[in-house]
């Protein structure tokens, strides 16, 4: 995983439902793209925090 980001506009802000995009580190061709995700902003924060945890601890996840 490279990073998780959310895209916002007026309607997503109003309904708190965001478009979430998770990109892969090695190839930009493959990514997860979820539209209308409830609490997507929170999901992005959690994904990025977990990613930083794993990078900092040099953990191997199976």
């Amino acid at each position: 995983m490279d990073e998780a980001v959310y895209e916002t506009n007026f309607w997503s802000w109003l309904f708190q439902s965001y478009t979430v995009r998770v990109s892969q580190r090695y190839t930009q061709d493959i990514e997860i793209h979820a539209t209308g995700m409830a609490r997507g902003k929170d999901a992005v924060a959690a994904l990025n925090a977990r990613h930083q945890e794993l990078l900092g601890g040099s953990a191997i996840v199976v």
Side-chain angles (χ1 to χ4, degrees):
M1 180 178 122
D2 183 26
E3 67 177 346
V5 295
Y6 66 92
E7 300 168 7
T8 186
N9 59 34
F10 174 74
W11 297 110
S12 62
W13 170 80
L14 183 65
F15 294 112
Q16 295 296 301
S17 114
Y18 298 91
T19 297
V20 174
R21 191 170 37 93
V22 180
S23 59
Q24 187 182 19
R25 178 178 296 189
Y26 302 108
T27 62
Q28 295 301 319
D29 295 338
I30 302 169
E31 65 180 23
I32 297 170
H33 188 88
T35 58
M37 186 171 177
R39 294 181 23 194
K41 197 174 178 181
D42 297 333
V44 166
L47 281 169
N48 285 329
R50 179 67 175 146
H51 184 240
Q52 286 302 312
E53 249 178 57
L54 293 174
L55 289 177
S58 67
I60 298 174
V61 178
V62 179

